[in-house]
Amino acid sequence: MKKIIYQKYDKALISTLPGVHFEGRIEVVFTESEARKAVDYLLSQPILGIDTETRPTFRKGPMHQVALLQVSSHEVCFLFRLNQLRLSPSVKRFLEDVTVPKIGLSLNDDLHQLQRLGDFKAGRFVDLQDHVKEVGVEDMSLQKLYANFFGQRISKRQQLTNWEADVLTDKQKLYAATDAWACIMLYEELMRLEQMGDFTLVEQEREEKIAI
């Protein structure tokens, strides 16, 4: 039986889905020494998921600089505290690597924010937004895409928290790791569906409300 994929997923359905989160190990990276070891591990992996977090700005004015770079394999996610590391040599080496595919969402925005920390030549990055279009899906958010392809809900409750805090909470760590890991899961499922043709694309049915 082919998997049903919706052209546009009804956001109202997301709250009814079971939650999902990253279940691997999460490591926080503060120093260049830690970053070097993390990058050595990450660049030995066949595929990686990435995302960034920035402290939200609730008033008009300059935006904060990117504070966190989260990079996940299937089993381990590293959280690089960029507000302390900045564009360290190992972080730059990772971003310029051309061997390992780094899967993300809306990568132009992430790379632009990272470029504000220092100059680097972006390596091998793959934007999910380009690939979902190939199968006819119009949604672009990670939460909608994951709900659409897996029938599970990624929580976004920690999105607007302080990513420059001295100590990240466990909930922040899990949120950040889940977003990076989910990019791997989505990419691999997209590739499987495209190669096998094992899906049916349909429009989301909506109930019409009749005013009385």
Side-chain angles (χ1 to χ4, degrees):
M1 184 175 179
K2 291 187 175 183
K3 175 179 278 193
I4 294 176
I5 300 297
Y6 296 103
Q7 186 178 27
K8 288 186 177 182
Y9 195 84
D10 188 350
K11 187 176 181 179
L13 297 178
I14 293 177
S15 63
T16 69
L17 300 176
V20 64
H21 59 78
F22 179 63
E23 296 184 355
R25 191 170 86 249
I26 301 173
E27 300 283 347
V28 183
V29 179
F30 294 96
T31 68
E32 168 58 14
S33 176
E34 293 170 340
R36 182 172 62 253
K37 294 176 183 177
V39 170
D40 286 345
Y41 165 81
L42 290 168
L43 295 186
S44 73
Q45 300 302 300
I47 189 171
L48 298 168
I50 71 164
D51 195 14
T52 65
E53 303 298 337
T54 301
R55 180 180 177 179
T57 301
F58 298 105
R59 298 177 181 178
K60 290 184 178 180
M63 291 180 59
H64 295 288
Q65 289 191 324
V66 59
L68 190 75
L69 169 66
Q70 56 262 47
V71 187
S72 183
S73 67
H74 285 93
E75 295 85 17
V76 185
C77 184
F78 291 92
L79 308 182
F80 295 84
R81 298 298 307 270
L82 297 184
N83 55 317
Q84 299 182 36
L85 275 168
R86 312 298 294 173
L87 192 67
S88 77
S90 293
V91 173
K92 183 176 181 180
R93 174 163 66 98
F94 171 77
L95 294 172
E96 293 188 331
D97 169 73
V98 296
T99 61
V100 182
K102 303 161 192 68
I103 317 302
L105 195 71
S106 189
L107 281 173
N108 284 339
D109 294 337
D110 286 331
L111 291 172
H112 175 73
Q113 291 299 317
L114 290 165
Q115 289 279 5
R116 294 177 61 197
L117 298 180
D119 186 51
F120 65 88
K121 184 177 180 180
R124 188 177 178 185
F125 291 88
V126 179
D127 198 323
L128 283 169
Q129 290 185 345
D130 296 332
H131 286 279
V132 296
K133 294 176 184 176
E134 294 174 359
V135 297
V137 173
E138 296 181 7
D139 290 320
M140 294 290 116
S141 77
L142 184 68
Q143 188 182 52
K144 279 191 174 184
L145 289 173
Y146 209 89
N148 197 353
F149 283 88
F150 292 104
Q152 294 175 307
R153 171 179 47 82
I154 293 177
S155 173
K156 307 302 288 184
R157 290 181 180 178
Q158 300 299 310
Q159 186 174 26
L160 297 181
T161 56
N162 181 11
W163 295 102
E164 294 180 7
D166 291 339
V167 178
L168 296 178
T169 67
D170 288 343
K171 289 182 178 179
Q172 283 180 305
K173 295 175 188 177
L174 188 59
Y175 168 89
T178 298
D179 275 9
W181 163 80
C183 290
I184 298 177
M185 303 302 290
L186 279 167
Y187 180 76
E188 291 181 337
E189 181 66 358
L190 273 167
M191 294 301 98
R192 185 189 74 81
L193 293 176
E194 281 193 291
Q195 291 170 10
M196 303 297 293
D198 190 24
F199 69 97
T200 300
L201 182 72
V202 300
E203 293 185 6
Q204 179 66 290
E205 295 182 0
R206 298 174 181 272
E207 293 184 1
E208 294 293 335
K209 294 182 179 181
I210 302 176
I212 298 177

